Amino acid sequence: MIVTITAPLPARLFAHRLDCHWTTLTAGPDGLLVGFRDHPDELIPWQSLAVAQQVHTGAAFHQLAFEGKPALRWIGRWHRQFWRAFSQYLHQQHEPDFALQLQRIETAVRHGYVRSSTWSQLQTQAAALLHKSDAALVQAPARPDLRYQRLGRIASGDPQLLQRYREHYLGRQQARHRSLFEKIERLPLTPSQQRACITLDDNNLVLAGAGSGKTSTLIGRTAYLIASGQAEPQDILLLAFGRQAADEMQQRLQQRLGIKLDATTFHALGQRIITAVEGRRPPISPLAEDDAKLGNWVAQQFEALLDRPEYRRQVLDYLLRFRLPADSPFNFATENEHQRFMRSNGVHTLSGLVDGSSDGAGDEMHSSAACVIADWLWSQGIDYRYRPAGIYPLAPEQALATAESAIRPMQLVPDFYLPAQDICIDLLLLDRDEDTPAWIEPAAYLGALDALRHNGQRRIELRFHQQQDGSLIDALARQLSEQGVVAQPKADQALLALVQQGALLQPLGDLLSQMLRCHRTLQPDATELRARVDASPAPQRLEQALLLLQPLHAAYRAQLVASDEIDFDDMIAKALDYVEQGRFASPWRHILVDEFQDISALRARLIRALRDAVPGAALFAVGDDWQSIYRFTGSDVGLTTDFAGFFGPVSISALDQTFRFNSSIGELASRFVLRNPAQLPKHLHSQTQVEAPAVSLLAHRSREPARDPAVLERILQVISQRRAAECGISCTVMIMARNRFSLPDSARLAQLQQRFGQLQLESRTLHAAKGREADYAIILGLESGKYGFPAARSLHPVLDALLPGGETFPHAEERRLFYVALTRARHRAYLAYSSTRPSSFVTELIADQYPIEQGEFESQH
């Protein structure tokens, strides 16, 4: 193709003034032929142009610049055919570079799994080459070759091309190592397990559903790395949370595959790193190894601190203001629901706990805010009456219409009346926006309140949100002072004696002991601690509790220093420091972590530091965010659900087949846990397919279903009848509950075992049942309330603030715990629930028409 253009007429007429030296330009196979006005034509080869020319584009004209030569100006943009030919000929000059670079890239991707970091480097290389070639072009070439197109896809980071490269590698490796994957376990690894073993990104997350063979996958990964020549045993760090799990993996590698490799726990890893740096094994404090010893030590320190007047005052101030959770009527749909919550949480005044009903106070309160007010008035020697009748005049038009009854005149009774001062104290049922709770009609309440404000009665108004933000007592004290009330506070020593008589110091000591553990696990610096206080919904409560913890924590650290010991949290923190400072030379290029959903932030930081310490090191984490149930120990499910946010780009594999439970249990349990949108979605296929529901419900009215023959024995009788058809001669039954007291005791279990001798019975709490399985599962304690399931009692707000980020979805961790419970069963799960106080989980199963069986026990009536 040969294309010739001429300089525009104005440029030819005013050539010298416009600095236009050319008359014609011809793009042909040999190069660009330039016709000059004042000297002979010149042919510039394309090869030279590809190296030393630049195109400067303009709105109407382009120009070509050459090294050591005058620029060619005033080349019309409208000469599209010329520019197409120009770009095509130049593009052809770069094709050998395209071919060479693409060959290098594809050679690299064929030799291993394309890591995210490798793909990023290849993108940069391809983009640099294309930029170099495209800088010489006015437009894209009309006929780009396939190598140019492929480089363009690489430069753009085309995810489909990346996946194609990876799939090609996975397929080849699966075929090459088929015999290895067939002998790792009794049955060959599934295709998804094999792919997880082969996937070798910088960061790899394997989502292993319940019963999907996570341990087999970890063992398979280890064996594959060694068999494929990508690692030696000493290159691999295999981490488990418990010594038993580590030993099991180590034994299976040795016995089945002949691989000698030390699987270890996080604590053993910390010891190893510290020993390597310090030259000696760090001694572990007995306080770290025995919760009872730590609790006794905290109790002794706490008692000693109470001899200090300042600390004693801080303790009393905390108990008076913050010993109760800050409930609010605004958090409940009905007044009855709020009052049921209050009764289940046992809200009693200090005076009531000490001597029944001194000062006329009584001991039962309708809200924790009222209880705080009562306690403070009592401590200040101010006589009061709680909700006395006949103080406010009652007119029919002031009655309040509610959602639960047509007229509620009790709303006009003051919360407190101070007889000596003739002052009423009202806890207004109004939030910051002047809205009422759901069960009160706002206009009626505001009208009645307005009437009270104008009846001449001396009054003090307080609000529930002041308990939450910590200003309740300050507001009360200020208003009492403004009304001339003079307090006669009880002496601290006398108050302390009364508090001790009411047995309130031990719960506070227990809380401080738990706070100490949380603080040690979190290892926050001052900035992080300040941020947690500021972010807390109850900052004053947290700040006051931390004030009480501070001398205990200082004493604990002094104890460790004096005895030359460390605890487990120190062990991880010190190991992390040594790795980050470069004082420990990590030998591991492959880090494999079991039960990753239980990871804490400090352990995650240690893993990341070990990975970053070795160029090219890879992380392989196996876990299931659906089974994250240990937040109270410091585990953070967010490190799994937002894995990439902490560790960087990740390849995620899912083990999509379970070998434990049937399809009916799997579908119900998966649907249930995925009601929380924060959980990572995955499709778990069951090896055993069934059509009928495999989760049965038994409603009962018993207060102790574990001891009631009409509950537990009825279920065991039905299981006995099913046994032969579903699991043969040997049949296991796991009895589970949220709380230990809901389970049969050892004597009752032995009695049941004797009666149902054909069944193998065991009893476990739901947390203890994780990782285990049985033919049948029985779940007790499914009722609402403080100790029900899900538990109505929430984690103490102080502990909640010191643990990993909380979740907004209601009962998020309890929901995962229910998933764990359901998926312990191979054949069937039985849910025994209270018909008078049913668990919200059971009502959800019924109301939302989950595949459940409700009629299995009807024939026994």
Side-chain angles (χ1 to χ4, degrees), residues 413-453:
V413 174
D415 289 281
F416 295 90
Y417 177 64
L418 311 185
Q421 296 83 9
D422 190 28
I423 294 175
C424 293
I425 301 173
D426 286 315
L427 264 171
L428 299 188
L429 290 169
L430 295 174
D431 63 14
R432 287 184 173 91
D433 298 322
E434 298 295 302
D435 289 330
T436 59
W439 66 85
I440 292 179
E441 202 282 312
Y445 184 80
L446 289 170
L449 182 58
D450 187 61
L452 289 180
R453 287 169 172 168

mmCIF file of all heavy atoms in Angstrom, residues 413-453:
data_model
loop_
_atom_site.group_PDB
_atom_site.id
_atom_site.type_symbol
_atom_site.label_atom_id
_atom_site.label_comp_id
_atom_site.label_asym_id
_atom_site.label_seq_id
_atom_site.Cartn_x
_atom_site.Cartn_y
_atom_site.Cartn_z
ATOM 1 N N VAL A 413 -47.428 8.025 86.203
ATOM 2 C CA VAL A 413 -46.804 7.867 87.517
ATOM 3 C C VAL A 413 -45.334 8.247 87.403
ATOM 4 O O VAL A 413 -44.654 7.813 86.476
ATOM 5 C CB VAL A 413 -46.937 6.405 88.008
ATOM 6 C CG1 VAL A 413 -46.162 6.203 89.304
ATOM 7 C CG2 VAL A 413 -48.392 6.040 88.173
ATOM 8 N N PRO A 414 -44.793 9.060 88.316
ATOM 9 C CA PRO A 414 -43.371 9.416 88.226
ATOM 10 C C PRO A 414 -42.504 8.191 88.477
ATOM 11 O O PRO A 414 -42.899 7.265 89.199
ATOM 12 C CB PRO A 414 -43.192 10.456 89.327
ATOM 13 C CG PRO A 414 -44.271 10.149 90.309
ATOM 14 C CD PRO A 414 -45.445 9.663 89.500
ATOM 15 N N ASP A 415 -41.323 8.182 87.896
ATOM 16 C CA ASP A 415 -40.414 7.072 88.156
ATOM 17 C C ASP A 415 -39.888 7.121 89.586
ATOM 18 O O ASP A 415 -39.746 6.079 90.232
ATOM 19 C CB ASP A 415 -39.256 7.122 87.154
ATOM 20 C CG ASP A 415 -39.703 6.751 85.753
ATOM 21 O OD1 ASP A 415 -39.855 5.554 85.481
ATOM 22 O OD2 ASP A 415 -39.942 7.675 84.957
ATOM 23 N N PHE A 416 -39.606 8.321 90.095
ATOM 24 C CA PHE A 416 -39.128 8.480 91.472
ATOM 25 C C PHE A 416 -39.792 9.708 92.084
ATOM 26 O O PHE A 416 -40.036 10.703 91.399
ATOM 27 C CB PHE A 416 -37.601 8.651 91.514
ATOM 28 C CG PHE A 416 -36.828 7.455 91.057
ATOM 29 C CD1 PHE A 416 -36.474 7.320 89.720
ATOM 30 C CD2 PHE A 416 -36.464 6.469 91.952
ATOM 31 C CE1 PHE A 416 -35.769 6.216 89.293
ATOM 32 C CE2 PHE A 416 -35.765 5.361 91.534
ATOM 33 C CZ PHE A 416 -35.419 5.231 90.200
ATOM 34 N N TYR A 417 -40.038 9.593 93.388
ATOM 35 C CA TYR A 417 -40.552 10.743 94.144
ATOM 36 C C TYR A 417 -39.696 10.904 95.382
ATOM 37 O O TYR A 417 -39.435 9.940 96.123
ATOM 38 C CB TYR A 417 -42.015 10.519 94.531
ATOM 39 C CG TYR A 417 -42.575 11.641 95.388
ATOM 40 C CD1 TYR A 417 -42.699 12.938 94.878
ATOM 41 C CD2 TYR A 417 -42.965 11.397 96.709
ATOM 42 C CE1 TYR A 417 -43.204 13.972 95.664
ATOM 43 C CE2 TYR A 417 -43.479 12.421 97.489
ATOM 44 C CZ TYR A 417 -43.588 13.711 96.963
ATOM 45 O OH TYR A 417 -44.083 14.727 97.741
ATOM 46 N N LEU A 418 -39.190 12.121 95.585
ATOM 47 C CA LEU A 418 -38.383 12.433 96.764
ATOM 48 C C LEU A 418 -39.282 13.124 97.776
ATOM 49 O O LEU A 418 -39.589 14.330 97.633
ATOM 50 C CB LEU A 418 -37.206 13.340 96.382
ATOM 51 C CG LEU A 418 -36.367 12.917 95.171
ATOM 52 C CD1 LEU A 418 -35.174 13.858 95.000
ATOM 53 C CD2 LEU A 418 -35.879 11.477 95.301
ATOM 54 N N PRO A 419 -39.786 12.408 98.801
ATOM 55 C CA PRO A 419 -40.782 12.994 99.713
ATOM 56 C C PRO A 419 -40.253 14.173 100.503
ATOM 57 O O PRO A 419 -40.982 15.140 100.747
ATOM 58 C CB PRO A 419 -41.153 11.819 100.618
ATOM 59 C CG PRO A 419 -40.028 10.847 100.495
ATOM 60 C CD PRO A 419 -39.486 11.010 99.124
ATOM 61 N N ALA A 420 -38.988 14.137 100.922
ATOM 62 C CA ALA A 420 -38.463 15.236 101.742
ATOM 63 C C ALA A 420 -38.381 16.532 100.954
ATOM 64 O O ALA A 420 -38.508 17.624 101.514
ATOM 65 C CB ALA A 420 -37.083 14.867 102.289
ATOM 66 N N GLN A 421 -38.182 16.446 99.662
ATOM 67 C CA GLN A 421 -38.029 17.639 98.832
ATOM 68 C C GLN A 421 -39.249 17.886 97.934
ATOM 69 O O GLN A 421 -39.297 18.902 97.239
ATOM 70 C CB GLN A 421 -36.784 17.509 97.941
ATOM 71 C CG GLN A 421 -35.466 17.442 98.696
ATOM 72 C CD GLN A 421 -35.150 16.029 99.188
ATOM 73 O OE1 GLN A 421 -35.826 15.065 98.821
ATOM 74 N NE2 GLN A 421 -34.125 15.918 100.035
ATOM 75 N N ASP A 422 -40.192 16.949 97.925
ATOM 76 C CA ASP A 422 -41.375 17.037 97.050
ATOM 77 C C ASP A 422 -40.957 17.245 95.587
ATOM 78 O O ASP A 422 -41.430 18.153 94.882
ATOM 79 C CB ASP A 422 -42.298 18.164 97.491
ATOM 80 C CG ASP A 422 -43.650 18.122 96.740
ATOM 81 O OD1 ASP A 422 -44.058 16.999 96.338
ATOM 82 O OD2 ASP A 422 -44.239 19.190 96.516
ATOM 83 N N ILE A 423 -40.045 16.384 95.126
ATOM 84 C CA ILE A 423 -39.539 16.439 93.746
ATOM 85 C C ILE A 423 -39.815 15.105 93.057
ATOM 86 O O ILE A 423 -39.583 14.039 93.648
ATOM 87 C CB ILE A 423 -38.032 16.741 93.715
ATOM 88 C CG1 ILE A 423 -37.756 18.151 94.250
ATOM 89 C CG2 ILE A 423 -37.464 16.607 92.291
ATOM 90 C CD1 ILE A 423 -36.282 18.476 94.358
ATOM 91 N N CYS A 424 -40.291 15.165 91.826
ATOM 92 C CA CYS A 424 -40.484 13.962 91.001
ATOM 93 C C CYS A 424 -39.352 13.871 89.987
ATOM 94 O O CYS A 424 -38.882 14.881 89.452
ATOM 95 C CB CYS A 424 -41.819 14.017 90.255
ATOM 96 S SG CYS A 424 -43.248 13.922 91.357
ATOM 97 N N ILE A 425 -38.922 12.649 89.737
ATOM 98 C CA ILE A 425 -37.901 12.377 88.710
ATOM 99 C C ILE A 425 -38.529 11.490 87.656
ATOM 100 O O ILE A 425 -39.022 10.392 87.970
ATOM 101 C CB ILE A 425 -36.654 11.695 89.320
ATOM 102 C CG1 ILE A 425 -36.042 12.575 90.411
ATOM 103 C CG2 ILE A 425 -35.634 11.388 88.233
ATOM 104 C CD1 ILE A 425 -34.910 11.885 91.168
ATOM 105 N N ASP A 426 -38.503 11.945 86.412
ATOM 106 C CA ASP A 426 -39.099 11.194 85.307
ATOM 107 C C ASP A 426 -38.035 10.778 84.301
ATOM 108 O O ASP A 426 -37.240 11.603 83.837
ATOM 109 C CB ASP A 426 -40.150 12.045 84.589
ATOM 110 C CG ASP A 426 -41.430 12.172 85.398
ATOM 111 O OD1 ASP A 426 -41.882 11.144 85.924
ATOM 112 O OD2 ASP A 426 -41.950 13.300 85.511
ATOM 113 N N LEU A 427 -38.039 9.480 83.982
ATOM 114 C CA LEU A 427 -37.241 8.960 82.870
ATOM 115 C C LEU A 427 -38.133 9.039 81.631
ATOM 116 O O LEU A 427 -39.013 8.204 81.437
ATOM 117 C CB LEU A 427 -36.831 7.512 83.128
ATOM 118 C CG LEU A 427 -35.456 7.270 83.723
ATOM 119 C CD1 LEU A 427 -35.308 5.812 84.111
ATOM 120 C CD2 LEU A 427 -34.369 7.673 82.738
ATOM 121 N N LEU A 428 -37.921 10.050 80.829
ATOM 122 C CA LEU A 428 -38.822 10.283 79.706
ATOM 123 C C LEU A 428 -38.676 9.204 78.641
ATOM 124 O O LEU A 428 -37.563 8.787 78.299
ATOM 125 C CB LEU A 428 -38.543 11.648 79.073
ATOM 126 C CG LEU A 428 -38.729 12.878 79.976
ATOM 127 C CD1 LEU A 428 -38.603 14.144 79.147
ATOM 128 C CD2 LEU A 428 -40.068 12.841 80.697
ATOM 129 N N LEU A 429 -39.824 8.788 78.112
ATOM 130 C CA LEU A 429 -39.838 7.811 77.029
ATOM 131 C C LEU A 429 -39.728 8.544 75.692
ATOM 132 O O LEU A 429 -40.559 8.396 74.787
ATOM 133 C CB LEU A 429 -41.109 6.975 77.094
ATOM 134 C CG LEU A 429 -41.164 6.014 78.291
ATOM 135 C CD1 LEU A 429 -42.534 5.411 78.442
ATOM 136 C CD2 LEU A 429 -40.117 4.928 78.148
ATOM 137 N N LEU A 430 -38.678 9.350 75.576
ATOM 138 C CA LEU A 430 -38.381 10.101 74.360
ATOM 139 C C LEU A 430 -36.904 9.930 74.039
ATOM 140 O O LEU A 430 -36.056 9.982 74.937
ATOM 141 C CB LEU A 430 -38.689 11.590 74.539
ATOM 142 C CG LEU A 430 -40.156 11.994 74.756
ATOM 143 C CD1 LEU A 430 -40.239 13.486 75.067
ATOM 144 C CD2 LEU A 430 -41.001 11.650 73.530
ATOM 145 N N ASP A 431 -36.594 9.720 72.756
ATOM 146 C CA ASP A 431 -35.188 9.642 72.363
ATOM 147 C C ASP A 431 -34.692 11.034 71.967
ATOM 148 O O ASP A 431 -35.387 12.038 72.156
ATOM 149 C CB ASP A 431 -34.986 8.617 71.243
ATOM 150 C CG ASP A 431 -35.734 8.992 69.965
ATOM 151 O OD1 ASP A 431 -36.181 10.150 69.843
ATOM 152 O OD2 ASP A 431 -35.868 8.115 69.088
ATOM 153 N N ARG A 432 -33.502 11.093 71.401
ATOM 154 C CA ARG A 432 -32.918 12.394 71.039
ATOM 155 C C ARG A 432 -33.757 13.140 70.006
ATOM 156 O O ARG A 432 -33.709 14.361 69.903
ATOM 157 C CB ARG A 432 -31.499 12.188 70.492
ATOM 158 C CG ARG A 432 -30.469 11.828 71.560
ATOM 159 C CD ARG A 432 -29.086 11.735 70.934
ATOM 160 N NE ARG A 432 -28.043 11.546 71.930
ATOM 161 C CZ ARG A 432 -27.613 10.360 72.344
ATOM 162 N NH1 ARG A 432 -28.182 9.252 71.870
ATOM 163 N NH2 ARG A 432 -26.647 10.275 73.249
ATOM 164 N N ASP A 433 -34.521 12.394 69.214
ATOM 165 C CA ASP A 433 -35.361 13.009 68.172
ATOM 166 C C ASP A 433 -36.790 13.244 68.631
ATOM 167 O O ASP A 433 -37.674 13.483 67.800
ATOM 168 C CB ASP A 433 -35.356 12.116 66.924
ATOM 169 C CG ASP A 433 -33.964 11.957 66.333
ATOM 170 O OD1 ASP A 433 -33.209 12.952 66.348
ATOM 171 O OD2 ASP A 433 -33.630 10.848 65.874
ATOM 172 N N GLU A 434 -37.026 13.136 69.940
ATOM 173 C CA GLU A 434 -38.361 13.350 70.507
ATOM 174 C C GLU A 434 -39.371 12.295 70.048
ATOM 175 O O GLU A 434 -40.576 12.548 70.034
ATOM 176 C CB GLU A 434 -38.894 14.748 70.171
ATOM 177 C CG GLU A 434 -38.048 15.890 70.727
ATOM 178 C CD GLU A 434 -38.062 15.914 72.259
ATOM 179 O OE1 GLU A 434 -39.139 16.023 72.854
ATOM 180 O OE2 GLU A 434 -36.969 15.796 72.848
ATOM 181 N N ASP A 435 -38.882 11.109 69.671
ATOM 182 C CA ASP A 435 -39.767 10.000 69.316
ATOM 183 C C ASP A 435 -39.964 9.088 70.513
ATOM 184 O O ASP A 435 -39.077 8.967 71.380
ATOM 185 C CB ASP A 435 -39.170 9.191 68.158
ATOM 186 C CG ASP A 435 -39.224 9.948 66.845
ATOM 187 O OD1 ASP A 435 -40.166 10.758 66.686
ATOM 188 O OD2 ASP A 435 -38.347 9.731 65.986
ATOM 189 N N THR A 436 -41.122 8.415 70.564
ATOM 190 C CA THR A 436 -41.440 7.484 71.641
ATOM 191 C C THR A 436 -41.111 6.062 71.204
ATOM 192 O O THR A 436 -40.900 5.802 70.015
ATOM 193 C CB THR A 436 -42.934 7.568 71.990
ATOM 194 O OG1 THR A 436 -43.686 7.258 70.809
ATOM 195 C CG2 THR A 436 -43.307 8.945 72.486
ATOM 196 N N PRO A 437 -41.062 5.095 72.156
ATOM 197 C CA PRO A 437 -40.912 3.697 71.756
ATOM 198 C C PRO A 437 -42.064 3.251 70.857
ATOM 199 O O PRO A 437 -43.111 3.908 70.771
ATOM 200 C CB PRO A 437 -40.929 2.946 73.097
ATOM 201 C CG PRO A 437 -40.531 3.961 74.103
ATOM 202 C CD PRO A 437 -41.075 5.260 73.616
ATOM 203 N N ALA A 438 -41.886 2.105 70.222
ATOM 204 C CA ALA A 438 -42.836 1.640 69.210
ATOM 205 C C ALA A 438 -44.240 1.440 69.771
ATOM 206 O O ALA A 438 -45.229 1.595 69.054
ATOM 207 C CB ALA A 438 -42.329 0.332 68.589
ATOM 208 N N TRP A 439 -44.355 1.114 71.070
ATOM 209 C CA TRP A 439 -45.664 0.765 71.617
ATOM 210 C C TRP A 439 -46.430 1.972 72.201
ATOM 211 O O TRP A 439 -47.508 1.805 72.755
ATOM 212 C CB TRP A 439 -45.527 -0.326 72.680
ATOM 213 C CG TRP A 439 -44.787 0.080 73.914
ATOM 214 C CD1 TRP A 439 -45.287 0.717 75.007
ATOM 215 C CD2 TRP A 439 -43.412 -0.144 74.210
ATOM 216 N NE1 TRP A 439 -44.323 0.918 75.947
ATOM 217 C CE2 TRP A 439 -43.152 0.391 75.491
ATOM 218 C CE3 TRP A 439 -42.353 -0.746 73.519
ATOM 219 C CZ2 TRP A 439 -41.897 0.333 76.078
ATOM 220 C CZ3 TRP A 439 -41.118 -0.798 74.097
ATOM 221 C CH2 TRP A 439 -40.888 -0.261 75.369
ATOM 222 N N ILE A 440 -45.870 3.156 72.094
ATOM 223 C CA ILE A 440 -46.536 4.348 72.646
ATOM 224 C C ILE A 440 -46.870 5.323 71.519
ATOM 225 O O ILE A 440 -46.032 5.617 70.669
ATOM 226 C CB ILE A 440 -45.640 5.037 73.700
ATOM 227 C CG1 ILE A 440 -45.498 4.143 74.927
ATOM 228 C CG2 ILE A 440 -46.215 6.391 74.094
ATOM 229 C CD1 ILE A 440 -44.624 4.716 76.008
ATOM 230 N N GLU A 441 -48.085 5.812 71.540
ATOM 231 C CA GLU A 441 -48.526 6.782 70.536
ATOM 232 C C GLU A 441 -47.915 8.146 70.884
ATOM 233 O O GLU A 441 -48.160 8.688 71.965
ATOM 234 C CB GLU A 441 -50.055 6.849 70.542
ATOM 235 C CG GLU A 441 -50.652 7.397 69.231
ATOM 236 C CD GLU A 441 -50.526 8.908 69.164
ATOM 237 O OE1 GLU A 441 -50.871 9.575 70.156
ATOM 238 O OE2 GLU A 441 -50.055 9.404 68.122
ATOM 239 N N PRO A 442 -47.095 8.723 69.987
ATOM 240 C CA PRO A 442 -46.322 9.929 70.342
ATOM 241 C C PRO A 442 -47.182 11.120 70.761
ATOM 242 O O PRO A 442 -46.868 11.786 71.755
ATOM 243 C CB PRO A 442 -45.550 10.230 69.052
ATOM 244 C CG PRO A 442 -45.531 8.948 68.298
ATOM 245 C CD PRO A 442 -46.794 8.233 68.642
ATOM 246 N N ALA A 443 -48.249 11.406 70.016
ATOM 247 C CA ALA A 443 -49.040 12.614 70.311
ATOM 248 C C ALA A 443 -49.646 12.550 71.705
ATOM 249 O O ALA A 443 -49.653 13.537 72.453
ATOM 250 C CB ALA A 443 -50.125 12.793 69.251
ATOM 251 N N ALA A 444 -50.162 11.361 72.070
ATOM 252 C CA ALA A 444 -50.776 11.212 73.389
ATOM 253 C C ALA A 444 -49.736 11.387 74.489
ATOM 254 O O ALA A 444 -49.982 12.059 75.500
ATOM 255 C CB ALA A 444 -51.435 9.840 73.494
ATOM 256 N N TYR A 445 -48.563 10.814 74.291
ATOM 257 C CA TYR A 445 -47.519 10.910 75.317
ATOM 258 C C TYR A 445 -47.036 12.355 75.459
ATOM 259 O O TYR A 445 -46.894 12.868 76.572
ATOM 260 C CB TYR A 445 -46.350 9.989 74.962
ATOM 261 C CG TYR A 445 -45.278 9.956 76.028
ATOM 262 C CD1 TYR A 445 -45.431 9.182 77.170
ATOM 263 C CD2 TYR A 445 -44.118 10.716 75.909
ATOM 264 C CE1 TYR A 445 -44.462 9.153 78.160
ATOM 265 C CE2 TYR A 445 -43.134 10.703 76.882
ATOM 266 C CZ TYR A 445 -43.316 9.911 78.003
ATOM 267 O OH TYR A 445 -42.353 9.892 78.984
ATOM 268 N N LEU A 446 -46.794 13.021 74.349
ATOM 269 C CA LEU A 446 -46.319 14.397 74.399
ATOM 270 C C LEU A 446 -47.370 15.324 75.016
ATOM 271 O O LEU A 446 -47.048 16.272 75.742
ATOM 272 C CB LEU A 446 -45.943 14.875 73.001
ATOM 273 C CG LEU A 446 -44.678 14.253 72.409
ATOM 274 C CD1 LEU A 446 -44.523 14.614 70.938
ATOM 275 C CD2 LEU A 446 -43.451 14.684 73.199
ATOM 276 N N GLY A 447 -48.665 15.027 74.729
ATOM 277 C CA GLY A 447 -49.731 15.832 75.327
ATOM 278 C C GLY A 447 -49.770 15.679 76.831
ATOM 279 O O GLY A 447 -49.895 16.666 77.583
ATOM 280 N N ALA A 448 -49.679 14.421 77.316
ATOM 281 C CA ALA A 448 -49.680 14.179 78.756
ATOM 282 C C ALA A 448 -48.460 14.801 79.413
ATOM 283 O O ALA A 448 -48.537 15.383 80.505
ATOM 284 C CB ALA A 448 -49.727 12.678 79.024
ATOM 285 N N LEU A 449 -47.311 14.716 78.733
ATOM 286 C CA LEU A 449 -46.077 15.280 79.281
ATOM 287 C C LEU A 449 -46.181 16.799 79.366
ATOM 288 O O LEU A 449 -45.751 17.414 80.359
ATOM 289 C CB LEU A 449 -44.888 14.876 78.402
ATOM 290 C CG LEU A 449 -43.511 15.346 78.865
ATOM 291 C CD1 LEU A 449 -43.192 14.835 80.265
ATOM 292 C CD2 LEU A 449 -42.442 14.896 77.868
ATOM 293 N N ASP A 450 -46.770 17.409 78.360
ATOM 294 C CA ASP A 450 -46.929 18.863 78.382
ATOM 295 C C ASP A 450 -47.809 19.305 79.551
ATOM 296 O O ASP A 450 -47.547 20.318 80.205
ATOM 297 C CB ASP A 450 -47.543 19.324 77.053
ATOM 298 C CG ASP A 450 -47.575 20.831 76.948
ATOM 299 O OD1 ASP A 450 -46.501 21.464 76.990
ATOM 300 O OD2 ASP A 450 -48.687 21.376 76.842
ATOM 301 N N ALA A 451 -48.867 18.489 79.829
ATOM 302 C CA ALA A 451 -49.743 18.815 80.963
ATOM 303 C C ALA A 451 -48.978 18.736 82.277
ATOM 304 O O ALA A 451 -49.143 19.572 83.174
ATOM 305 C CB ALA A 451 -50.936 17.858 80.966
ATOM 306 N N LEU A 452 -48.115 17.720 82.407
ATOM 307 C CA LEU A 452 -47.323 17.577 83.631
ATOM 308 C C LEU A 452 -46.381 18.762 83.820
ATOM 309 O O LEU A 452 -46.149 19.226 84.934
ATOM 310 C CB LEU A 452 -46.510 16.276 83.582
ATOM 311 C CG LEU A 452 -47.283 14.958 83.707
ATOM 312 C CD1 LEU A 452 -46.333 13.779 83.628
ATOM 313 C CD2 LEU A 452 -48.057 14.923 85.019
ATOM 314 N N ARG A 453 -45.812 19.236 82.726
ATOM 315 C CA ARG A 453 -44.847 20.329 82.813
ATOM 316 C C ARG A 453 -45.496 21.635 83.272
ATOM 317 O O ARG A 453 -44.792 22.567 83.654
ATOM 318 C CB ARG A 453 -44.172 20.522 81.466
ATOM 319 C CG ARG A 453 -43.156 19.418 81.133
ATOM 320 C CD ARG A 453 -42.698 19.484 79.688
ATOM 321 N NE ARG A 453 -41.601 18.554 79.423
ATOM 322 C CZ ARG A 453 -41.154 18.242 78.208
ATOM 323 N NH1 ARG A 453 -41.747 18.782 77.138
ATOM 324 N NH2 ARG A 453 -40.163 17.400 78.048
#
